[in-house]
Amino acid sequence: MARIIVVTSGKGGVGKTTTSAAISSGLALRGHKTVVVDFDIGLRNLDIIMNCERRVVYDFVNVINGEANLRQALIKDKRVDNLYILPASQTRDKDALTVEGVEKVLQDLAADGFEYIVCDSPAGIEHGAFMALYFADTAIVVANPEVSSVRDSDRILGILQSKSRRAEQGERVEECLLLTRYNPVRVERGEMLSVEDVEDILATRLLGVIPESESVLKASNQGVPVIHDRESEAGQAYDDAVARLLGEDRDHRFLSLESRGLFKRLFGRK
């Protein structure tokens, strides 16, 4: 049975699409047949980060409306076997997503042998975001270490446990936190919340901490999910997060200045 993972947040610009690309790539790199679905109807950024924007012919809404079948719309990733992308529409309204239509697509993906379905959600609590989280088995809540982002993430956690299909059935969505753009120097200066601060506020399992890194922006601009950059700390942190998602026990890294040597902090690659 396919596991549906939603990547969500209460605030925009925290790294959801970067995370969706990295997590789905990491799952596929471990041999799992994986599809990442862009729920951000009208904007559509996932295909840029996955470097397949020129290959988009049909999209998620075309499939829902019966204008194309799933095999016509799915795009196979060029780097990783077992990874496919289902892009969003740039020309439709978010209301084009219906509960019945989304459920049919998810069922068809599961029937096609996909083990993991990663849903890249738009920010906030509007219609597209609700459609992405409604069918979730697992939710990765992405937040930056700042008060407004963490507060909005707390709201998303409440919605997951009250308005999802699992909640309607008296069950819980498995939830975990991914903290992005973490900078220990700024934490020491009191400019950012610490990992402990965020954990105290949200009281949910910490999946990973992604350090603030130029490699993330560079990878996005090149259309390469940063998890492929095994030399960067961000790439390593995403690899750790995928391992934990699959049940491995890995220590969290890049949380403090002490974890990096002085020379590396001054001159090393981030």
Side-chain angles (χ1 to χ4, degrees), residues 25-46:
S25 296
L27 290 168
L29 284 166
R30 284 168 169 77
H32 300 286
K33 188 176 181 182
T34 304
V35 59
V36 56
V37 183
D38 192 348
F39 276 77
D40 204 354
I41 308 300
L43 292 178
R44 201 177 84 188
N45 291 314
L46 178 66

Side-chain angles (χ1 to χ4, degrees), residues 4 103 107 133-135 163-170:
I4 301 172
E103 183 173 28
Q107 288 175 343
L133 68 81
Y134 181 72
F135 295 100
K163 293 189 176 182
S164 63
R165 182 173 62 174
R166 279 183 170 264
E168 293 174 354
Q169 296 171 344

